[in-house]
Amino acid sequence: MTDTIAGIEIPDTRAVAEATDFLRDTAGPLLLHHSRRVFLFGSLHARARGIETDPELLYVSAMFHDAGLLTPFSDAEQRFELDGADHARSFLLERGFPEHAAEVVWLAIALHTTPGIPGRMGGEIAATTFGVLTDAIGWGLDRLDGGQVEEIVAVHPRGDFKKEFLQVFVEGLKNRPDTTYGTVNADVLEHFVPGFRRGSMVQRVMDAPWPQ
């Protein structure tokens, strides 16, 4: 793959190469291209905002941020974000990364669908979410250089991204619908899965085993 895209250098490290190979082997082109765009868009936003990031940690965060949609990495039924975060953390620790680095990546992935909070946190955490938001819903796209955006999409094409990406979500969540409570993921199942009914905080309070 191209080493520099839109002025952003892809880190040349073993962890980066192995994270790329992992996603290519397990996820296929759609999520590989999406995840690389997340890294690139996140890097551009960080640069524009003067946010310092460790490119290697940001890249691993981007590569694993949606991995939990495809392959359960734990026996517990949990949010896909946590599955991906847990796996990324193990991936880094097994390769000798320090605990604090693995924790940064864990947080970046675990929080990437949480509105409002990641952007107020550390560089890699914020940049991962900025990249996700740009590629998924076009957030901040008007603040990026058009030529750089075109270069990124030329190297990592979107194809029929909107339709296919949402279908990946449906397939990854439909067998664990309870994990979508309180998250944006419930929006996907509510739209695509007949009979799905999202849980609510009101109902949980009303059904609590208390007399009053």
Side-chain angles (χ1 to χ4, degrees):
M1 289 188 178
T2 307
D3 293 327
T4 302
I5 304 168
I8 302 298
E9 185 175 349
I10 307 298
D12 184 16
T13 71
R14 175 189 167 199
V16 164
E18 291 181 350
T20 305
D21 288 342
F22 162 78
L23 201 62
R24 183 187 293 111
D25 293 342
T26 60
L30 178 78
L31 285 188
L32 177 61
H33 286 310
H34 166 58
S35 298
R36 295 264 292 193
R37 292 194 305 268
V38 165
F39 167 74
L40 294 164
F41 289 141
S43 297
L44 290 177
H45 282 301
R47 179 182 293 178
R49 291 165 176 255
I51 298 173
E52 292 188 10
T53 65
D54 180 317
E56 185 177 36
L57 297 184
L58 177 56
Y59 189 91
V60 173
S61 299
M63 287 298 103
F64 280 92
H65 83 278
D66 277 343
L69 283 170
L70 300 173
T71 308
F73 296 112
S74 74
D75 294 331
E77 184 172 294
Q78 60 182 357
R79 289 175 54 170
F80 88 88
E81 300 95 330
L82 299 183
D83 249 3
D86 287 348
H87 190 61
R89 186 176 185 278
S90 297
F91 173 89
L92 290 174
L93 293 177
E94 289 167 1
R95 286 157 180 79
F97 282 77
E99 180 71 35
H100 71 83
E103 182 68 11
V104 165
V105 170
W106 190 94
L107 286 168
I109 297 169
L111 293 174
H112 82 269
T113 61
T114 302
I117 295 174
R120 303 285 291 272
M121 299 186 71
E124 296 81 13
I125 300 168
T128 298
T129 292
F130 292 158
V132 169
L133 290 174
T134 297
D135 201 51
I137 64 173
W139 175 90
L141 196 57
D142 57 343
R143 295 194 289 273
L144 297 179
D145 178 87
Q148 290 179 314
V149 172
E150 289 180 5
E151 184 176 345
I152 289 170
V153 174
V155 177
H156 294 293
R158 290 177 62 85
D160 194 5
F161 179 76
K162 292 181 180 180
K163 179 180 178 181
E164 293 181 7
F165 183 62
L166 288 172
Q167 191 57 44
V168 168
F169 261 78
V170 173
E171 292 301 316
L173 299 174
K174 67 182 183 181
N175 293 323
R176 42 179 164 169
D178 290 345
T179 68
T180 67
Y181 167 74
T183 77
V184 297
N185 304 324
D187 298 344
V188 179
L189 296 190
E190 185 175 55
H191 185 90
F192 289 101
V193 177
F196 173 78
R197 182 176 179 180
R198 68 169 65 229
S200 76
M201 180 59 178
V202 172
Q203 198 59 49
R204 295 185 82 176
V205 170
M206 297 299 291
D207 292 344
W210 294 102
Q212 320 252 352

